[in-house]
Structures are given as C-alpha cells and as structure tokens.
Amino acid sequence: MEWAVSRHVALTGFMGSGKTTLGRRLAGALERRFVDVDEELQARHGLSITEMFERHGEAWFREREADATTELLADPEPAVFALGGGAVMAPAIQAALRLRAVTAYLDVPADEAWRRVAGSGRPLAQDKAAFVRLYEERLPTYRACADVVGDDLDPLLLGLGGIVVSRGALGELQTYLPPDGPIALIADHRVLELHPPALGPRLAQTLTVASGEEAKRPEVCHELWNELAIDRAGLVVGLGGGTATDVAGFVAATYLRGVRWAAVPSTLVGQVDAAIGGKTGIDLAKGKNLVGAFHLPARVISDPDLLATLPAAQRAEGMAEVVKTGLLAGHPIWELGECEMVSAAAAFKAAVCIADPAETGRRAILNLGHTFAHGLEAAGGYRGPTHGEAVSLGLRAALRLSVRHLGLDADVMHQLDELLPVEPARVDLDAAWRAMSFDKKARDGRLRLVLLQAPGEPVFGIELPADEVRGELARLVASA
C-alpha cells in the first residue's frame, strides 16, 4: 500500500483486456482522476487510432504514444491511467513507469481478448492468428513490467494494498514478505504456539505479547523497544489478532524513527480490518488508540486457514467489522464464502486507505459505530465488552441516528439485529460518555459521527445535540 498512495496506477494489458472499463471503476474506488491514453491521443490529434495508423503508420503512432504517456505520467497528482496495448513495449514508457507508477497488468487470456475485440475494426485485430502471435510476443514484457496482476477490481485493490489473501499463506510466508533484511517477529504468544511461522535464517529474534488489549499498553512498547535488535534494514513482522498487529506496527513506526513492517493477522477482525491501512496505536487509560502513528505495512498476509482455530466468540467479533464494511460498501459481503468475504472486505478498506492514508477525509467513514464502541471499551477497562461486541452495539446507535436524521430505511436495523445479536454492555454510563469525549474525530469538544444515509452511502462529520447522542449511548448500557 505504501507505494500506491503517492504514485500513479497504470493499467497495462493486451487489446480487449478491459483497461478502460476497469480503470474507471478503479479510479472511482481510489477517488482519482482517470485518463485513457488512447482517448487522450485521439483528442490531441483529432483522429481515431485506426486513422492514425492508416495515415501515418505504426511507427509514427508509437512515437506520439510515448510522448503523451511520459508527459501524463510526469504529473505529480496521482491518477489512474489506461495505457494502450503496445505502450509498455517502448523503453521510454517502461522507464517512466518504474519511476512514477505502480503498474498493474490485466491478465486476460488471448481467446477471451479476441472475443471482445473481433470485428471492432482495430488495426491490429484483423486476423486472429496474427492477434494471438502479437499477444504471445508482448506477454513477457507485460509480466516483467507488472507490479500487480489481476483481472477484476478486488484483486487489483488487494495487490495495490500489498495484501495477500490465500489459504496456506502462512506456510509460504517467506515468499510473500519483502525479500531482504533481518526479521524481528512480534507475536501473540497463543497464536505463536498454534501457528508458528517458518521464517528461515532471516529470523533474527522472536518477541511475544499478551493476547487482547493487554498488549496495547505503553509498558509493552517500552519492553519491545528495548528488546528489538534489528537495524533500519530490518523488518518487523506482526503475527496475531488486531491488537498484536496494532502494537507491532506502532513499535515499527517508532523504533529507529521507523522500520518496515508486515502484518500477518490471525483473526477475522485483523484480516478484514485492523491489520490493513497502517493505522497503528496503543491505548491509554482514558481512551482507545489515543497514541499511535500512520505507518503503512509493506505487506499484509492473510491466511483464512488460521480462522479455523478461532473460538465462536472471536469469529462473531470479526463479523461485526464485516457487517460494518458491507454497510459502507453497499454489498452484503457477509453472505460470501470465507475467503471471498475476507478478500472483499480487505479490498474495500484498501481502496479507502490508499485514497486517504492519513484520515484527512473519507477514511473516517471506516469509524461507523466506532465512536460509541470505543467509549464502551474504555469504560469497561478493555476487559469487556470485547471490541466486536462494542462495535455491534455502536452500529446500532449509529444506525438509529441515521434512521432519524438521514432517512435510512429502518429495515437495515432489523437486518443488523439478525446478523449481530448482542447484549447491552455492563459498564458505567458516565465513564463511557467521558471516554467518548476523547474521541479523535471530535472537534472543539463536539462529537462528529459517521452515519449512513443508505447502504453504500456513508456520511461523515455529523454533529448532533449532546443529549441525543448520550441518550443513544444509554440505550447500549445495562446497569452493572
């Protein structure tokens, strides 16, 4: 994800691979400008691609294509580009891509590409045999230039986010990690016992932390900083649930003023939410995640096989984040199979975080229900309710306010009750309200909430009367 935040995304692939169609969708997901280089060339020269070939020849066209592409890539504002099918064959374009872009290759079989363009009149799509020969000639260059390979939106977003979702990935962990530097493993001690990763001779040290929020304390970080022995070329690997990856990422962000890190989340919460996006942090007594840093991971490797050992309660916790993401995306991703569900949730969050890595705008939508949830967690001293239970409760408050103020269909509330049944939190109401006042999104002491106008239509920055917000919090709390 760190490379995709500040660079262009350039889509390459053969004729008929869908670069324009997918490029528009990708640009929308990343909230970036989209440029189809072929369309730009046609606008500049007042001719169709076919007319350019016919009047001036392919060599002339390739020169103009290289000039336009390198000029467009020189723009410092990150955009999404759909390149012409032969663009990556030009050395000048290859050099510009290496310098300024993350290159994504749309891998579509030759027969499928031919089916899409046959009869279109394209100058290089007149004969199938010649079409396939040209495809095979270009294929090695496409692959050599590619940083990311995919054929649809979610795989591309996962690749751009440096995210791998694959069964059995833990057993092949070394192949997914950055290839250089000594490794310091920071792991949840229970997860390490159940799922010890094979990291080979690069493993320089193994440090363990407690399970749950107990790991996210300043004293734990102090111990880890003192025990770490890698240099700035090293890599911290965080293995465990969302709390383990939170503290590992924060320690990596602050040790030697920042070393690389990779997350290997072992819980559903971690795989669909907590380990993605580089929001690292620890808790203070007065509130959750009040000390932290934005430090994008070099990789996030999620192995859904690790979820098989999760207790039912922890799986339910993860489902709270899945449902939240589905409501934000406007798709019932909770109905998908396990691997597909993890991929879809991770891809959505990757897109939001690439577009807004430091939460200066839209990324705040990911906090739907979390302002209430963090208050409940802090009031319970991080011993209960659990994060998932608190999010389930917080979503209820946020959706009730959404029904009242934004016209959200009340049926969404009924659906939530079926998906995430949960008991009220047994915490002190005043303590929960005080903790909410420290929410990081508050401005001048006023809470700013994320609400939902409709599934897929979140709204951030809603300020409501304090009495009304506290009243919704009170509905989440049972007498202790």
Side-chain angles (χ1 to χ4, degrees):
M1 187 176 293
E2 55 187 349
W3 59 354
V5 165
S6 59
R7 289 184 163 204
H8 299 300
V9 177
L11 301 185
T12 66
F14 204 59
M15 292 172 280
S17 60
K19 297 185 294 292
T20 298
T21 300
L22 190 51
R24 293 187 193 282
R25 293 172 60 202
L26 182 62
L30 299 180
E31 298 187 321
R32 292 186 180 184
R33 179 172 63 105
F34 172 71
V35 180
D36 183 302
V37 177
D38 279 354
E39 291 178 357
E40 176 72 15
L41 284 166
Q42 291 175 120
R44 289 187 180 192
H45 299 288
L47 299 169
S48 69
I49 302 298
T50 299
E51 289 170 333
M52 288 184 229
F53 269 73
E54 290 175 346
R55 295 189 188 185
H56 302 292
E58 184 175 0
W60 180 92
F61 173 80
R62 295 302 176 196
E63 289 180 6
R64 303 308 178 276
E65 180 181 53
D67 289 344
T69 304
T70 54
E71 177 189 323
L72 290 165
L73 288 171
D75 189 329
E77 184 66 26
V80 174
F81 294 98
L83 273 56
V88 294
M89 306 305 291
I93 293 178
Q94 291 178 18
L97 291 174
R98 284 193 297 270
L99 184 63
R100 302 183 181 278
V102 180
T103 302
Y105 165 48
L106 304 192
D107 187 9
V108 174
D111 285 345
E112 174 61 18
W114 173 255
R115 186 189 68 76
R116 294 177 183 179
V117 303
S120 65
R122 297 192 190 198
L124 298 180
Q126 303 298 312
D127 173 78
K128 183 176 182 180
F131 180 91
V132 172
R133 282 197 300 273
L134 185 60
Y135 176 100
E136 292 173 346
E137 288 173 9
R138 291 178 177 176
L139 186 58
T141 304
Y142 288 140
R143 289 176 172 167
C145 291
D147 299 303
V148 175
V149 178
D151 60 2
D152 206 346
L153 185 60
D154 281 1
L156 285 178
L157 289 171
L158 292 174
L160 293 171
I163 301 167
V164 174
V165 179
S166 179
R167 294 195 180 279
L170 188 68
E172 302 172 351
L173 193 55
Q174 291 184 76
T175 66
Y176 296 118
L177 294 173
D180 58 317
I183 291 172
L185 177 65
I186 297 178
D188 179 308
H189 70 103
R190 292 179 183 170
V191 176
L192 187 61
E193 292 175 1
L194 290 169
H195 307 289
L199 291 170
R202 288 180 61 194
L203 181 60
Q205 58 184 142
T206 298
L207 308 173
T208 60
V209 295
S211 299
E213 293 290 333
E214 187 68 16
K216 293 177 57 172
R217 295 182 294 114
E219 311 91 273
V220 173
C221 293
H222 188 269
E223 292 175 9
L224 292 171
W225 287 320
N226 278 319
E227 293 177 16
L228 275 173
I230 56 172
D231 58 25
R232 297 196 72 178
L235 175 74
V236 170
V237 173
L239 170 65
T243 56
T245 56
D246 268 2
V247 73
F250 177 62
V251 166
T254 47
Y255 184 69
L256 299 180
R257 296 193 176 95
V259 296
R260 298 173 302 162
W261 79 290
V264 186
S266 62
T267 62
L268 188 55
V269 170
Q271 293 187 4
V272 302
D273 182 73
I276 299 166
K279 232 173 154 182
T280 72
I282 57 173
D283 304 332
L284 299 181
K286 66 180 181 179
K288 186 177 173 74
N289 294 331
L290 292 183
V291 175
F294 289 99
H295 190 46
L296 293 168
R299 298 287 188 278
V300 178
I301 301 103
S302 292
D303 184 348
D305 284 347
L306 302 189
L307 305 180
T309 59
L310 283 184
Q314 283 197 17
R315 181 174 292 274
E317 280 202 48
M319 287 306 298
E321 295 291 354
V322 170
V323 171
K324 178 206 75 175
T325 302
L327 291 172
L328 294 172
H331 302 294
I333 60 175
W334 53 81
E335 295 178 357
L336 299 173
E338 186 174 70
C339 202
E340 294 78 11
M341 179 180 72
V342 170
S343 294
F348 178 83
K349 183 165 185 183
V352 173
C353 294
I354 291 170
D356 183 18
E359 200 177 301
T360 58
R362 185 170 180 262
R363 181 169 175 169
I365 66 171
L366 298 173
N367 291 298
L368 179 66
H370 282 56
T371 297
F372 291 96
H374 290 168
L376 295 172
E377 288 181 88
Y382 305 110
R383 294 183 296 274
T386 66
H387 179 68
E389 291 167 344
V391 170
S392 297
L393 289 167
L395 286 173
R396 281 166 170 76
L399 295 188
R400 279 194 291 264
L401 291 169
S402 299
V403 170
R404 195 177 306 141
H405 291 278
L406 299 184
L408 176 70
D409 190 330
D411 284 346
V412 177
M413 283 295 306
H414 302 319
Q415 189 177 38
L416 181 65
D417 288 335
E418 293 177 4
L419 290 167
L420 301 173
V422 67
E423 296 295 322
R426 293 189 173 277
V427 299
D428 181 74
L429 175 60
D430 289 335
W433 181 244
R434 283 195 299 273
M436 282 180 65
S437 70
F438 289 108
D439 186 85
K440 299 181 294 302
K441 299 172 292 302
R443 293 291 183 273
D444 299 323
R446 296 191 301 273
L447 291 172
R448 303 168 77 227
L449 301 173
V450 182
L451 302 183
L452 201 65
Q453 188 164 297
E457 298 180 28
V459 181
F460 170 66
I462 302 292
E463 294 185 13
L464 298 174
D467 287 349
E468 184 178 8
V469 178
R470 183 183 168 102
E472 285 301 330
L473 177 65
R475 297 180 65 177
L476 310 179
V477 173
S479 57

